[in-house]
Amino acid sequence: MSVADLSTPLKFAYWVPNVSGGLVVSTIEQRTGWDFEYNRKLARIAEDAGFEYALSQTRYAASYGADKQHEATSFSLALLAATEKLKVIAAVHPGMWHPGVLAKFIITADHISNGRAAVNIVSGWLKDEFVNFGLDWLEHDERYVRTEEFIRVLRGLWTEEGYSQSGKYYDITDFTLSPAPVDVPGRPHPEIFFGGNSTAAQATAGRVADWYFSNGKDLEGFRENIAGVRASAARAGRHPRYGLNGFVIARDSEKEARETLREIVAKAHRPAVEGFRDAVQEAGASTKDGRGMWADSSFEDLVQYNDGFRTRLIGTPEQIAERIVEYKKIGVNLLLTCYLHFQEEVAAFGTDILPIVRQLEADAARAAGVDFDPDATLATHEPTKAGI
């Protein structure tokens, strides 16, 4: 399989702002609401603008300045009911959910939405959320052992009757969930997203995830970040797809866009950013090889708490579209985006940036001697039975 799929259009997603404070930890104006009415309108704007996915964040304890949070799965279900085409990804923590209960919940959401439910499995980095709930806090690599078992249970219960699995954390015996998920052509089960920069996370992603989410990275950083996932996937005979986080600042001039970035960082809520930095970099340092999420993130990077500035989707619509297609050429299949002013800027992305991206994608495919199909969907590559 080639690194880039030039024949298939890039997919676009947005972070659902179901937590307060917007997507940057800054006192700069953010015309973004965390309430449901704002998000219902945003979801409809996004699907009309050409976005295919939305990702609801999971958070229980206040962190990075987000002192109010809506629960991700219920919020995602409500957004699915409010839309017609958008696929909504609910982020969940193993250790807070039993995989069988989640599998059943997602099946119901899938039927309500006619096959548009998906999950993002988050192994967890905020220790207080687990400990203060009275839940076990596992050491770093062990969290990924549990996550892998969790994902295998999800896939097994979604695809088999009488499913059994015996593991360190979950024992499933001859269990059948009925009804099964909606039968969507080309989709064997609801999509499973997963992220993490550590060696353990990348190995897990390669073995069991349908999609691997990367924090924001420059071009070379993205290549390096997915190398471990690709190697693990190759050993398992699998072909996951790749998503990349990016914060979009589209303005009439590059100077204006960069000035907006400067203002965001200058107005950063320093105590919140530093508290977030301390928590996540302690988590990263706990890995055996010192690699982990946010391990090399600067203060500026962490003002957007998934390193979205590092992707450098900052400039004019033309500049941003060109950079997006450069990422496609090295293997990105989906851009997960965030903004200062979500409703206005998601709509503007659809009118000002997406048409340029589609033209550049067609040009890149033509130059490579590949037919570009603007209506194509990503093929789903499932492992053999032994690989599950």
Side-chain angles (χ1 to χ4, degrees):
M1 179 182 175
S2 63
V3 170
D5 181 357
L6 296 179
S7 64
T8 307
L10 276 164
K11 308 302 180 188
F12 290 92
Y14 72 93
W15 283 95
V16 173
N18 58 305
V19 300
S20 62
L23 269 288
V24 293
V25 190
S26 174
T27 59
I28 192 171
E29 181 189 18
Q30 297 184 71
R31 294 190 296 276
T32 292
W34 67 283
D35 59 282
F36 181 66
E37 286 306 313
Y38 180 93
N39 274 280
R40 176 162 54 186
K41 183 177 180 181
L42 171 60
R44 292 170 175 170
I45 289 170
E47 67 177 0
D48 288 344
F51 285 72
E52 293 190 34
Y53 295 89
L55 171 60
S56 296
Q57 305 171 67
T58 182
R59 184 59 55 235
Y60 295 89
S63 59
Y64 48 74
D67 62 343
K68 299 180 179 66
Q69 310 88 20
H70 283 301
E71 192 277 324
T73 58
S74 52
F75 210 77
S76 296
L77 180 59
L79 292 177
L80 286 168
T83 53
E84 297 179 357
K85 299 177 292 183
L86 195 70
K87 301 169 188 174
V88 185
I89 311 161
V92 296
H93 288 100
M96 294 191 180
W97 282 83
H98 185 282
V101 176
L102 179 65
K104 188 67 173 178
F105 178 95
I106 294 297
I107 288 173
T108 298
D110 209 44
H111 280 264
I112 289 171
S113 64
N114 194 28
R116 295 184 286 123
V119 292
N120 181 43
I121 307 302
V122 182
S123 294
W125 55 264
L126 188 55
K127 183 177 179 179
D128 286 352
E129 287 192 325
F130 286 79
V131 172
N132 293 350
F133 271 163
L135 301 171
D136 291 336
W137 177 248
L138 306 179
E139 66 90 13
H140 181 276
D141 287 8
E142 197 64 22
R143 295 200 293 276
Y144 290 96
V145 174
R146 178 172 64 187
T147 291
E148 182 164 342
E149 287 190 19
F150 189 98
I151 292 174
R152 291 180 186 276
V153 172
L154 285 181
R155 181 174 283 120
L157 290 173
W158 284 338
T159 60
E160 298 182 35
E161 295 184 358
Y163 181 71
S164 296
Q165 176 178 317
S166 179
K168 186 173 183 179
Y169 293 98
Y170 305 106
D171 284 304
I172 309 298
T173 304
D174 191 25
F175 215 98
T176 300
L177 292 180
S178 184
V182 175
D183 185 8
V184 177
R187 189 202 74 163
H189 53 73
E191 292 165 288
I192 299 169
F193 292 74
F194 177 83
N197 288 4
S198 69
T199 300
Q202 294 192 0
T204 300
R207 289 191 294 264
V208 295
D210 300 322
W211 288 88
Y212 172 74
F213 270 143
S214 172
N215 267 9
K217 296 285 182 182
D218 61 17
L219 293 162
E220 187 55 38
F222 176 77
R223 286 192 188 95
E224 293 174 359
N225 199 42
I226 66 171
V229 183
R230 288 182 189 264
S232 173
R235 290 190 294 270
R238 306 186 70 251
H239 302 281
R241 296 289 179 166
Y242 298 92
L244 174 66
N245 181 60
F247 193 88
V248 179
I249 305 176
R251 300 294 184 265
D252 292 337
S253 69
E254 182 180 0
K255 179 180 178 181
E256 184 182 356
R258 294 199 174 279
E259 176 59 27
T260 299
L261 174 60
R262 187 206 63 77
E263 183 183 358
I264 291 170
V265 176
K267 294 181 177 179
H269 189 294
R270 184 164 290 274
V273 176
E274 290 176 346
F276 176 60
R277 178 186 61 194
D278 292 345
V280 298
Q281 293 190 340
E282 178 185 358
S286 69
T287 64
K288 293 178 180 178
D289 56 7
R291 292 185 59 192
M293 297 281 274
W294 305 284
D296 60 348
S297 301
S298 68
F299 179 90
E300 175 183 310
D301 296 333
L302 293 173
V303 175
Q304 202 295 300
Y305 43 80
N306 282 97
D307 289 339
F309 301 147
R310 299 176 77 169
T311 308
R312 296 297 169 188
L313 303 183
I314 299 165
T316 65
E318 292 80 8
Q319 289 173 318
I320 292 170
E322 288 168 1
R323 188 155 180 84
I324 286 171
V325 175
E326 288 303 307
Y327 278 109
K328 178 180 182 177
K329 291 176 182 177
I330 63 170
V332 172
N333 305 111
L334 178 150
L335 255 296
L336 174 60
T337 60
C338 43
Y339 312 82
L340 278 182
H341 316 301
F342 268 75
Q343 289 182 358
E344 302 99 303
E345 294 187 88
V346 163
F349 190 98
T351 57
D352 300 341
I353 297 174
L354 192 52
I356 304 173
V357 169
R358 296 303 185 218
Q359 184 58 56
L360 292 174
E361 287 182 290
D363 294 344
R366 190 179 308 111
V370 174
D371 291 330
F372 177 69
D373 181 356
D375 299 317
T377 58
L378 290 169
T380 301
H381 300 274
E382 278 299 291
T384 62
K385 174 78 171 179
I388 296 176

